[in-house]
């Protein structure tokens, strides 16, 4: 039985050696490049095509972020397949993925406060939504110069 | 094969950049314009990354990282300026 296992292991190692690692990495790079290009394009087409500001907020914040993530992944695979690898892209990817929801939240707040969108429905429990919940003294304060 | 995919990615991201610019010029309200600028920064990062793959160099990643940071900070600054009227209180 142990002889069988050793034989399988040698066969497995031979199979691994027979694989063309660079070819597989190139194929993965091509797939990731195409996916990233597609999602970046979808994000911008949605930004142009959708009809209300809040709907337009959906397209770039999700699709474009995913597209750039795919392109960065393609760049990492490419760097590991040809020459020395790099993990700089992980830094950019993490930063983009963390900051995209924050900027989307800010832009939706801008849309709400400038009343470019339909009025929000009443909240289920509280008296008003948190972003509209300014204290009375702040409301009474005069505008700063 | 990778050359064709790189050209495709260049074309798609450039087209996406142009579409975002159309929304930046057209956008009826301020939120749309801020969002279009944010999208253009993200697409510029994508263009820089694809350019780095094209040249096979690692030189451009610091530029992409600085673009990411400045894009986020500028989006937040625009939004706070629109919301509050000033940036530093």
């Amino acid at each position: 039985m142990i002889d069988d296992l050793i034989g399988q292991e040698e066969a497995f190692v031979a199979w691994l050696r027979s694989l063309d690692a660079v070819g597989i990495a190139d194929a993965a790079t091509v797939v990731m490049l195409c996916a990233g290009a597609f999602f970046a394009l979808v994000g911008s087409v949605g930004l142009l095509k959708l009809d209300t500001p809040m709907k337009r907020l959906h397209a770039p914040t999700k699709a474009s972020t995913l597209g750039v993530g795919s392109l960065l992944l393609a760049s990492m695979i490419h760097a590991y397949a040809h020459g020395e690898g790099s993990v700089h892209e992980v830094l950019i990817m993490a930063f983009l993925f963390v900051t995209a929801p924050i900027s989307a939240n800010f832009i939706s707040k801008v849309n709400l406060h400038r009343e470019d969108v339909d009025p929000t429905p009443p909240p289920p429990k509280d008296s008003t939504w948190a972003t509209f919940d300014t204290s009375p003294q702040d409301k009474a304060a005069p505008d700063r110069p | 094969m990778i050359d064709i995919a790189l050209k495709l990615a260049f074309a798609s991201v450039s087209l996406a950049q142009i579409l975002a610019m159309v929304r930046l010029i057209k956008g009826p309200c301020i939120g749309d314009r801020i969002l279009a600028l944010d999208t253009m920064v993200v697409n510029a990062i994508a263009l820089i990354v694809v350019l780095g793959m094209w040249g096979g160099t690692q030189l451009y990643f610091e530029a992409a990282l600085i673009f990411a940071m400045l894009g986020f900070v500028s989006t937040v600054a625009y939004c706070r300026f629109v919301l509050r009227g000033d940036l530093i209180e």
Side-chain angles (χ1 to χ4, degrees):
Chain A
M1 182 178 171
I2 292 179
D3 288 345
D4 279 354
L5 278 181
I6 288 175
Q8 281 178 3
E9 183 187 329
E10 283 172 353
F12 183 66
V13 170
W15 177 71
L16 274 184
R17 292 232 173 99
S18 74
L19 286 178
D20 183 12
V22 175
I24 292 176
D26 282 353
T29 307
V30 168
V31 169
M32 279 296 150
L33 270 175
C34 291
F38 173 73
F39 279 113
L41 192 58
V42 163
S44 285
V45 168
L47 175 67
L48 195 62
K49 183 175 174 293
L50 296 175
D51 53 352
T52 64
M54 282 302 195
K55 282 184 196 168
R56 284 196 281 269
L57 194 54
H58 281 289
T61 51
K62 296 187 249 306
S64 290
T65 310
L66 187 59
V68 172
S70 298
L71 287 178
L72 288 166
L73 207 57
S75 175
M76 282 181 65
I77 298 171
H78 187 73
Y80 270 107
H82 305 272
E84 70 269 30
S86 72
V87 286
H88 294 174
E89 290 90 346
V90 173
L91 209 60
I92 307 174
M93 207 190 294
F95 194 81
L96 274 179
F97 277 42
V98 166
T99 56
I102 302 174
S103 33
N105 188 13
F106 265 101
I107 294 170
S108 66
K109 271 190 198 172
V110 167
N111 280 339
L112 282 177
H113 280 267
R114 289 184 60 84
E115 296 171 346
D116 291 326
V117 292
D118 294 338
T120 53
K125 288 177 186 166
D126 302 322
S127 62
T128 182
W129 295 100
T131 183
F132 294 122
D133 194 13
T134 47
S135 65
Q137 57 183 1
D138 281 349
K139 273 183 184 169
D143 284 334
R144 281 177 295 273
Chain B
M1 193 66 188
I2 281 189
D3 282 344
I4 301 172
L6 277 173
K7 281 173 189 165
L8 183 73
F10 254 126
S12 304
V13 179
S14 306
L15 185 61
Q17 189 82 300
I18 291 171
L19 292 179
M21 203 180 297
V22 170
R23 176 52 78 188
L24 175 67
I25 294 169
K26 208 171 89 174
C29 48
I30 288 184
D32 288 330
R33 294 205 161 101
I34 300 173
L35 181 61
L37 272 178
D38 195 45
T39 311
M40 285 179 70
V41 167
V42 171
N43 284 336
I45 295 167
L47 277 179
I48 292 173
V49 168
V50 177
L51 188 68
M53 286 181 70
W54 185 288
T57 172
Q58 302 282 327
L59 275 178
Y60 297 113
F61 290 114
E62 283 83 5
L65 189 60
I66 289 174
F67 253 75
M69 290 181 174
L70 277 183
F72 171 67
V73 170
S74 63
T75 305
V76 171
Y78 274 126
C79 289
R80 277 196 66 85
F81 181 72
V82 171
L83 282 173
R84 302 299 298 252
D86 53 6
L87 293 181
I88 302 168
E89 300 176 11

